[in-house]
């Protein structure tokens, strides 16, 4: 089906459907004459996107960016770094950090002039 009919079935305007396409929220399927044809899979993908937007209260642009974060490691790393910097994501613990904390604990438990029991 063409974009006008697909938009009607999805309860949105053809313009909104084109906007979603520009954001990358539609499967990349086009006819030879450069016209997009919508089948059941394409309609289901758009409907799933709309449902996610409603459920998580995000815009189509935010959903498109989330997909970009999931598919581009460089973008994911940059977003993760920001999350750590602003305190939304905990700093990942490294093996060296664990060993350092372990050594500090051992130093705290063995006060000067005291011997600690170790097995």
């Amino acid at each position: 089906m063409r974009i006008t009919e697909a938009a009607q079935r999805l309860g949105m305007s053809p313009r909104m459907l084109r906007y979603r396409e520009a954001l990358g929220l539609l499967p990349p399927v086009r006819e030879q004459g450069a016209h997009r044809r919508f089948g059941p899979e394409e309609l289901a993908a758009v409907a799933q996107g709309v449902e996610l937007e409603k459920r998580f209260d995000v815009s189509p642009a935010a959903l498109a960016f989330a997909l970009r974060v999931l598919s581009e490691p460089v973008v994911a790393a940059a977003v993760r770094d920001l999350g750590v910097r602003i305190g939304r994501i905990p700093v990942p613990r490294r093996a060296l950090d664990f060993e350092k904390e372990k050594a500090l604990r051992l130093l705290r438990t063995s006060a000067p002039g005291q011997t600690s029991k170790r097995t």
Side-chain angles (χ1 to χ4, degrees):
M1 74 187 76
R2 290 277 178 102
I3 193 165
T4 305
E5 185 182 348
Q8 285 175 339
R9 285 192 184 192
L10 291 164
M12 63 180 66
S13 69
R15 184 176 178 189
M16 178 54 83
L17 212 42
R18 285 187 192 95
Y19 173 63
R20 290 173 177 286
E21 179 180 23
L23 290 172
L25 294 175
L26 298 177
V29 178
R30 284 202 172 265
E31 227 177 40
Q32 267 186 339
H35 289 286
R36 176 178 278 285
R37 284 287 191 185
F38 291 85
E41 285 298 313
E42 290 78 22
L43 292 177
V46 174
Q48 183 179 7
V50 170
E51 191 273 325
L52 287 170
E53 292 160 16
K54 287 178 182 174
R55 184 175 6 155
F56 296 108
D57 192 28
V58 297
S59 68
L63 182 60
F65 186 70
L67 288 170
R68 185 172 176 202
V69 168
L70 290 171
S71 64
E72 296 179 32
V74 172
V75 177
V79 170
R80 189 178 311 102
D81 289 345
L82 173 64
V84 168
R85 176 167 288 184
I86 64 174
R88 296 270 313 259
I89 297 173
V91 178
R93 292 184 57 166
R94 298 182 307 235
L96 276 175
D97 293 337
F98 176 76
E99 291 300 324
K100 179 181 171 185
E101 289 173 17
K102 182 176 157 187
L104 288 172
R105 266 195 317 272
L106 286 171
L107 286 172
R108 275 189 232 116
T109 58
S110 60
Q114 235 181 345
T115 56
S116 60
K117 291 185 181 179
R118 289 184 217 159
T119 52

